[in-house]
Amino acid sequence: MSLMIPTELSVIEPAVETAGLAKRYGRRVALDGMDMTVPQGAVYVLVGPNGAGKTTTLRILLDLVRADAGRAGVLGLDTVSAGAEVRAHCGYLPERQDAGYGWMKVQQLLDHHARFRSNWDAAYATQLVERLEVRDHTKFGKLSKGEARRVQLVMALAHRPPLLLLDEPTDGLDPVMRDEALAILSDHVADTGATLVISTHLVYEVEGLGDHLGVLKEGVLRAQLDRETLRQRLRRYTLEVAEGWEGVPEVNESIIRRTGSGREVAWTVWGEEGEVVERLKAGGATVRHVDPLTLEEAAVALLAMRENQNRIAREPAPAATQAEVR
Ligand code: ATP
């Protein structure tokens, strides 16, 4: 049983597609051959440790930063030759707020932003301002981090863009506003069918929303797959075993994560459940139960995967339709 966690999605009309993206800042490698595919209508959750290259990826997609190599396409447009058009079509929630507009009152800032968005929906903007309790008569620069984040959410959403790129969308929000922001995103997806790329460390927050997962480490996507494939192939096996049991060679190479110790262990294994169970039993283990993982658990397990463990990573996975995934 070899480990073949997909890193490629085969999609006919992706909303986002990058090939071989590379980016260095001096000696520091931010991206090292990033191949990412986001299907239209997907809610794609991009996870990775600090410094993995998530923000750099989103900024390259909007041509706010230029890659050293590779290419990126967004909504059928090349990000380098059509950067302004890409930015006009996307909603972007940056990781950090732009200090440049601090002197403007929030309403002025929203009006200014609206002038550059032909599809700005003023009624929707007002609704978002109310739901997010935005203080529209205060200077933007005087807002707290969370208050500014709420303004940025209005700016990202109110022109109903077909693609939203959200960098840590709930960062700085209090628990009530975090729930409201997530509810707004969920409503937005249901109403518009927009594609979302969400970079986050808090995967549990988007548990009900995410339908694709990209695992970025050291500038390379180590896994990229839809939720149904994850649910089917990545499971936790709770086993009762003899003290010192060393497992079964054919299964051991597919173990992504080991927890538990002594006579009860829980292994996260990539593979077809029937086959895994059969081999574990043949090897002497009693299989107590088998559970699919939450998106958060899957992200943690895949992030913990050893480098080079996913040996045959370039095998394209059959793309599930959105109907299958949702
Ligand atoms: P985090 O989860 O901490 O936000 P990230 O995955 O978004 O991290 P990036 O912000 O894309 O990571 O950074 C990737 C790497 O590139 C990091 O090592 C970072 O220090 C470096 N980097 C990013 N932007 C710059 C810059 N403007 N100048 C120098 N180095 C940079």
Side-chain angles (χ1 to χ4, degrees), residues 5-210:
I5 302 177
T7 56
E8 291 180 13
L9 290 164
S10 75
V11 174
I12 295 164
E13 257 187 67
V16 173
E17 188 156 49
T18 74
L21 279 188
K23 177 71 187 170
R24 273 173 181 271
Y25 293 97
R27 284 201 199 153
R28 179 83 200 157
V29 176
L31 293 178
D32 193 18
M34 159 79 161
D35 301 328
M36 178 190 194
T37 306
V38 181
Q40 299 256 11
V43 178
Y44 186 107
V45 180
L46 182 62
V47 295
N50 293 133
K54 303 178 296 296
T55 296
T56 303
T57 302
L58 299 186
R59 289 175 61 78
I60 288 174
L61 294 180
L62 294 163
D63 198 33
L64 299 172
V65 165
R66 284 273 159 93
D68 302 327
R71 58 180 176 77
V74 171
L75 302 170
L77 299 163
D78 176 69
T79 51
V80 172
S81 59
E85 204 180 339
V86 168
R87 286 192 292 280
H89 281 98
C90 290
Y92 177 45
L93 188 68
E95 186 183 31
R96 296 196 184 106
Q97 70 187 59
D98 186 349
Y101 294 102
W103 57 272
M104 276 192 189
K105 285 197 173 163
V106 167
Q107 190 56 57
Q108 266 180 305
L109 176 59
L110 292 175
D111 293 343
H112 172 75
H113 187 75
R115 274 198 283 281
F116 295 94
R117 305 286 182 285
S118 55
N119 295 334
W120 187 261
D121 181 338
Y124 184 39
T126 304
Q127 196 191 326
L128 291 170
V129 163
E130 281 167 11
R131 282 184 75 176
L132 291 164
E133 297 175 17
V134 165
R135 293 164 59 197
D136 49 358
H137 296 297
T138 308
K139 282 191 178 159
F140 186 60
K142 301 264 184 222
L143 298 178
S144 74
K145 180 179 171 186
E147 287 171 331
R149 200 95 191 119
R150 280 138 64 179
V151 176
Q152 288 176 311
L153 260 174
V154 180
M155 290 162 72
L157 290 169
H159 59 299
R160 298 188 187 274
L163 175 64
L164 278 162
L165 304 175
L166 308 172
D167 203 344
E168 300 287 347
T170 61
D171 186 30
L173 298 184
D174 65 59
V176 173
M177 274 302 143
R178 183 194 57 207
D179 282 359
E180 188 60 26
L182 292 169
I184 286 171
L185 290 179
S186 179
D187 293 348
H188 191 88
V189 168
D191 293 347
T192 66
T195 307
L196 265 60
V197 178
I198 305 177
S199 161
T200 184
H201 296 293
L202 308 173
V203 180
Y204 66 90
E205 288 185 352
V206 290
E207 194 68 53
L209 210 56

